[in-house]
Amino acid sequence: MPMPEWLRSRKGAQTEEPAQWMKCPSCGELLYKSDLKANHEICMKCGHYFRMHAPDRIVSLVDGDFTELGAEIEPGDPLGWVDKRPYPDKLQSDREKSGLSEAVVTGFGAVGGFTVGLGVMDFYFRGGTMGTVVGDRVALLFERARERKLPVVLFTASGGARMEEGMLALMQLAKTTQAVERFRRDGLYYIAVLTDPTTGGVSASFAFQAHVVVAEAGAAIGFAGRRVIEQTIRQKLPENFQRAEFLLEHGAIDMVVERPKLKETLVRLLDYGVGAAQGASPNGRAR
Amino acid sequence: MNPIVDREKGLIELGRRIEELKTLSATQNVDLSTQIAALEAEYAKIQQEIFGSLTPWQRVNMARHPKRPTAAEYIAKLDAFDELHGDRFFRDDPAVIAGFAKLRGRRVVVVGQQRGRDTKENVRVNFGMVTPEGYRKVRRLFELASHLGLPIVTFVDTKGADPGIGSEERAQSEAIASCLYALAESRVPSVSTIVGEGGSGGALALGLTDRIIMLQHSIYSVAGPEAAAAILFSDATKAPEAAASLRLTSDDAVLLGIADEVIGEPLGGAHRDKDATIELVLNAIERHLAELAPWTPERLQEARYRKYRQIGAWRARTAPSEQGPR
């Protein structure tokens, strides 16, 4: 199985990167980039979670290869959108910054021995917003996983529907919902992992349509953006409002998991759902 | 203040003067026909100027016009209506009117988002912004419709889902996601009509239907123009520009392959002749329901899947398509 070049280059290649420092946006501490990577991109001083790039997340999860799906589906400019900058310019600079062609990477790989359809959204590409390409790739992931009778694990990170694609973007909520529904109707298993931030149209569609909804510790999750709510009610919101822990307390999600424990937790959840079907040994590891 | 209402004022005043002259002419037995004809010509000219070609922003304000017929007014013209209440968990959201109904004799489940016509009503219905309880009532009725084999008829009219603390605490996202899911899995025909403002996911929760009808001056948008302006131009007063960029008019929705039918409104808007507008809308819904009535649940689901699967897939270099039964 061919591994995409962007993924190969990330696997075990950290030492070749030039020494770089990162400043923690939460406590201001200067962190050595390779140390940060070794610590799951969590600040060593204050515990702040840096948002992960999709390729890094995939590397942190898959056992070996990852076969990308839908990479050939690329964005256009259906509305000829211009605000401060033309939409194609924004896409181009995000492509250069992130090395990705869109805000989600989808494909197949093995996690702890279980073969899964895996999707990971990337907040660094247009704020993880869902336009037609994100909708198409997510739908395609569920369709192909359905054909192969495999579970789907989907990591969300999104500011919502992509405004620059107007109503076409809103309709991706409908498209992805249908793909999830068809997949679930066949008795297949879907786990969503909500990471920082998961809001708007993505939270109001496939993020909350999973059988098991996991949230990464500290992630902001909600429908309306924090600023919108503050403007509406004209008061400051408490710090923990719309955090993963807040949602757990209110019964909206199944569990909050710290990043270093995410993979092992997913492997256990996959084992309950498909362990028997995928021939795992009773102790939970796939054979 | 709604700019459309402002512009209408002069027109309404002119209309009143014409009526006065007519009354005068009849009661005093004087011939004022030349004056009346001149004023009527002016009236038609101004009306054409104001409403003949509206900018996107003017259409936003038309969609929000306080006198525009609301969901309750459409529902009141059905042959029968028995309202059903509540989400079974928390409360009954008055921003959603829902229940069993008969449309031209056909048994249906009807669900509408209710905007208020004045301040008092708006306070009661939260300005038409639905809370999670409202969406859970909607989902319950969608599921009931499938269970009983009754078609689903929805009237969409909301600025968006309620953005409050309580709504977030009670999982607004999940509530909307569940409505979408219920429509996706429904085994009965469904028709949504955007009668006023179709704002974002809170509107789409009632809109993942087999057919989408829009009134000519209704709007359907990924985000409210004010919110979009605040995000994109960092300036909420640029809403008119944002409204043009968002492509939110009924004409745009047809071009983008989203709306199946647009129903024309009287010059000046639906509120200038409510009865005629409502009649046209109900006829159109019935026409679509009659067409879909013989379809099996499998055919409905397959057609629905394809309808939304292809929206916006135009740019894919290789078009991925789900092969299913035809």
Side-chain angles (χ1 to χ4, degrees):
Chain A
M1 292 234 167
M3 192 190 294
E5 191 48 45
W6 53 261
L7 185 58
R8 191 193 310 280
S9 65
R10 283 182 195 248
K11 277 235 163 197
Q14 286 95 335
T15 50
E16 289 165 27
E17 273 181 38
Q20 271 182 323
W21 296 88
M22 289 281 284
K23 191 174 178 181
C24 174
S26 179
C27 71
E29 182 81 354
L30 282 175
L31 305 162
Y32 199 50
K33 228 180 176 179
S34 59
D35 291 349
L36 187 62
K37 219 160 209 176
N39 200 40
H40 307 275
E41 307 204 28
I42 302 169
C43 174
M44 283 80 85
K45 188 165 178 227
C46 73
H48 171 77
Y49 278 45
F50 285 77
R51 287 171 179 152
M52 285 182 78
H53 291 274
D56 294 332
R57 180 76 79 175
I58 292 168
V59 168
S60 79
L61 295 169
V62 297
D63 302 335
D65 284 0
F66 178 79
T67 314
E68 199 176 352
L69 180 71
E72 73 285 358
I73 310 169
E74 289 184 345
D77 183 16
L79 306 189
W81 181 281
V82 178
D83 46 72
K84 286 187 229 161
R85 284 165 70 200
Y87 178 44
D89 286 6
K90 297 189 202 178
L91 289 173
Q92 185 55 35
S93 63
D94 280 13
R95 259 193 290 270
E96 285 160 13
K97 271 191 291 183
S98 67
L100 298 175
S101 59
E102 253 291 353
V104 71
V105 179
T106 50
F108 289 94
V111 178
F114 295 108
T115 306
V116 301
L118 179 63
V120 179
M121 299 187 77
D122 194 309
F123 190 74
Y124 296 99
F125 194 102
R126 296 279 86 221
T129 49
M130 173 157 67
T132 55
V133 175
V134 170
D136 276 357
R137 288 187 186 174
V138 168
L140 189 63
L141 176 69
F142 281 100
E143 287 166 356
R144 293 289 179 267
R146 175 173 172 258
E147 284 162 16
R148 296 177 60 179
K149 300 193 195 316
L150 291 173
V152 165
V153 176
L154 190 44
F155 280 67
T156 59
S158 176
R162 187 172 299 169
M163 225 161 288
E164 295 91 336
E165 294 188 23
M167 275 303 285
L168 295 175
L170 186 66
M171 286 296 156
Q172 304 310 308
L173 277 69
K175 183 189 287 179
T176 54
T177 293
Q178 289 199 319
V180 173
E181 191 275 323
R182 206 174 241 208
F183 172 88
R184 286 183 48 146
R185 205 195 310 158
D186 275 12
L188 297 165
Y189 183 37
Y190 169 30
I191 301 170
V193 184
L194 279 42
T195 72
D196 189 58
T198 295
T199 58
V202 166
S203 77
S205 59
F206 56 85
F208 274 101
Q209 289 164 348
H211 293 102
V212 180
V213 180
V214 176
E216 196 168 60
I221 301 161
F223 180 68
R226 205 182 163 86
R227 265 182 306 166
V228 174
I229 301 171
E230 283 182 341
Q231 278 165 16
T232 309
I233 62 168
R234 296 174 200 286
Q235 64 189 65
K236 285 287 279 178
L237 292 163
E239 169 50 32
N240 74 336
F241 184 69
Q242 291 184 324
R243 296 280 161 203
E245 297 72 15
F246 171 95
L247 271 85
L248 183 70
E249 208 175 289
H250 284 93
I253 56 176
D254 288 292
M255 59 177 82
V256 175
V257 180
E258 290 175 3
R259 190 177 285 166
K261 297 211 158 125
L262 209 40
K263 180 169 179 177
E264 63 191 68
T265 305
L266 279 177
V267 174
R268 286 200 309 278
L269 291 175
L270 285 167
D271 179 65
Y272 289 118
V274 298
Q278 288 202 20
S281 64
N283 69 8
R285 297 293 293 185
R287 280 195 291 264
Chain B
M1 195 63 214
N2 188 317
I4 289 285
V5 176
D6 277 350
R7 302 183 73 180
E8 259 177 4
K9 272 188 192 150
L11 205 57
I12 291 167
E13 184 53 38
L14 196 58
R16 202 172 291 140
R17 271 173 55 202
I18 295 169
E19 284 311 305
E20 273 170 18
L21 286 185
K22 279 184 179 166
T23 315
L24 199 68
S25 155
T27 54
Q28 307 292 321
N29 207 16
V30 284
D31 183 17
L32 299 168
S33 55
T34 342
Q35 289 93 324
I36 291 171
L39 285 180
E40 278 177 341
E42 196 185 338
Y43 185 96
K45 188 171 152 255
I46 296 174
Q47 194 179 35
Q48 185 63 37
E49 269 169 24
I50 300 181
F51 302 110
S53 63
L54 294 174
T55 66
W57 178 240
Q58 286 167 338
R59 288 172 76 152
V60 170
N61 287 293
M62 192 67 111
R64 291 172 177 173
H65 196 290
K67 291 207 165 65
R68 203 173 168 78
T70 65
E73 291 167 83
Y74 289 90
I75 291 172
K77 295 283 183 184
L78 297 172
D79 304 336
F81 177 57
D82 283 277
E83 189 167 4
L84 301 174
H85 293 276
D87 67 343
R88 298 287 187 272
F89 293 103
F90 188 69
R91 71 168 193 135
D92 185 45
D93 185 344
V96 171
I97 299 178
F100 292 127
K102 284 195 180 169
L103 195 163
R104 307 277 185 262
R106 188 187 300 276
R107 292 171 193 83
V108 300
V109 163
V110 65
V111 173
Q113 288 167 324
Q114 182 60 22
R115 186 171 51 81
R117 280 159 297 191
D118 53 40
T119 310
K120 195 174 157 214
E121 266 188 33
N122 264 320
V123 169
R124 192 178 76 85
V125 301
N126 191 32
F127 295 85
M129 296 186 294
V130 178
T131 57
E133 302 78 71
Y135 288 114
R136 291 188 175 115
K137 169 164 71 175
V138 171
R139 183 192 64 188
R140 190 169 73 81
L141 265 77
F142 287 163
E143 287 168 357
L144 179 62
S146 265
H147 184 74
L148 297 176
L150 300 178
I152 294 166
V153 172
T154 70
F155 295 102
V156 176
D157 194 3
T158 186
K159 282 189 279 187
D162 176 62
I165 293 182
S167 287
E168 293 295 320
E169 286 174 338
R170 296 190 296 279
Q172 183 69 288
S173 293
E174 191 279 340
I176 295 170
S178 294
C179 282
L180 291 170
Y181 197 90
L183 285 174
E185 73 179 346
S186 77
R187 297 172 57 79
V188 293
S190 52
V191 177
S192 58
T193 307
I194 322 301
V195 295
E197 187 165 8
S200 190
L204 185 65
L206 275 64
L208 199 169
T209 45
D210 297 320
R211 297 288 158 83
I212 300 172
I213 300 171
M214 285 181 76
L215 270 184
Q216 185 186 354
H217 297 311
S218 68
I219 58 165
Y220 211 167
S221 182
V222 65
E226 290 85 358
I231 294 167
L232 297 163
F233 302 103
S234 317
D235 183 358
T237 64
K238 294 221 164 129
E241 281 100 311
S245 296
L246 285 164
R247 305 276 294 268
L248 42 64
T249 68
S250 55
D251 309 321
D252 293 321
V254 170
L255 287 174
L256 296 171
I258 290 161
D260 297 292
E261 179 174 353
V262 172
I263 296 176
E265 295 185 27
L267 194 62
H271 59 287
R272 303 307 293 265
D273 193 345
K274 284 188 181 192
D275 287 349
T277 306
I278 293 170
E279 177 83 6
L280 283 175
V281 168
L282 298 185
N283 285 346
I285 296 171
E286 167 52 20
R287 183 165 22 82
H288 287 287
L289 289 180
E291 194 191 318
L292 296 168
W295 292 24
T296 64
E298 291 71 27
R299 183 174 171 201
L300 287 168
Q301 286 178 332
E302 180 58 31
R304 200 182 301 143
Y305 197 90
R306 272 185 284 142
K307 174 182 173 70
Y308 292 97
R309 185 68 177 88
Q310 74 192 23
I311 292 180
W314 62 283
R315 191 58 170 71
R317 267 195 272 145
T318 53
S321 66
E322 178 81 340
Q323 295 301 312
R326 290 290 179 268

